[in-house]
Amino acid sequence: MRYLVWFVLPFCGALMLSCLLPFWWLTLILMAFFGLTTALLLRTDLRYRMAFALLTAGACLGCCWFGVYHMAIVAPIQALEGERSGFTAEVAAYPTRSDYGVSLKLKMLSGAASGRSAQVYLDSWYANLKPGDQLTGTGVFTSVFQSEDSKGIRQASTNVFLRADVEVLSVQSARSVPLRYLPDWLGHGLKQIVAELYGGQEGALLQGILTGDKSDLNDALYTSFRRSGLAHLLAVSGLHVG
């Protein structure tokens, strides 16, 4: 356990430091770690060398992990900032209600953001879309990394790194929901059953507990949950499954 701590703590510290400093500092940090470790290994007893080696390995792996993630995910996403492009996209989840219509997750099939997922906001006319439906149109893409609100962090945690302001030109409805979207289909069916059996905020609360969807909760009730420290009950967890 002690050796694991010597590895994990510098790994986490290197990740945090990499987030706070400019990306090009990674090279300087790695050189500093290697230089410091070399000096310590040459001047310390054999019993301490393992600790110093683990400390350096954890810190260097943390920097490398951050660097690879930045180059593979963050940099290509940031390169799309403000990009306007035509697209064909597949609906990847059932729409959820937002303040001005619906929020929709799209899987881009063509265009500048091909292969990426994007969150878009459309009017209520698109509320009946289902996973597997295809949209074509044009959009302007922005990175969630530039977002100043907490929504960007939540979207990035679900592998959605782009937002798009889109103009839809056509909609092609799928005959049925593809098998890869089976979890979304089951969740949507569960929400419909709850809505039929319960009404008002009771149904909205039950949906939150069973599926994590809090969109139907009114602001007063959700604020009460947050102030009382019980908002975690509305996030699906292993405790709920148990």
Side-chain angles (χ1 to χ4, degrees), residues 122-191:
L122 301 171
D123 59 48
S124 300
W125 188 87
Y126 297 92
N128 293 323
L129 291 175
K130 64 182 183 298
D133 293 345
Q134 290 192 1
L135 308 180
T136 58
T138 59
V140 178
F141 298 94
T142 57
S143 167
V144 300
F145 300 117
Q146 307 297 328
S147 174
E148 298 181 355
D149 54 32
S150 59
K151 289 183 179 180
I153 298 175
R154 291 197 300 269
Q155 290 170 350
S157 68
T158 59
N159 292 324
V160 178
F161 303 107
L162 285 171
R163 294 175 181 172
D165 182 10
V166 301
E167 179 182 355
V168 178
L169 301 179
S170 66
V171 177
Q172 182 178 353
S173 180
R175 293 184 178 180
S176 60
V177 176
L179 187 59
R180 59 183 174 274
Y181 297 121
L182 179 60
D184 295 279
W185 180 79
L186 292 174
H188 182 71
L190 180 59
K191 293 177 186 178

Side-chain angles (χ1 to χ4, degrees), residues 209-210 236-242:
I209 294 175
L210 293 176
V236 177
S237 67
L239 176 63
H240 293 160
V241 176

Side-chain angles (χ1 to χ4, degrees), residues 4 6 8 23 35 37 41 49 53 58 60 63 82 87 90 93 98 120 131 162 192 206-207 217 219 227:
L4 181 61
W6 285 343
V8 170
F23 178 70
T37 303
L41 290 177
R49 291 182 181 179
C60 291
C63 290
F87 69 86
E90 183 178 72
S98 64
V120 302
L162 285 171
Q192 289 181 323
L206 190 56
Q207 283 188 15
L217 284 173
D219 293 339
R227 289 180 175 176

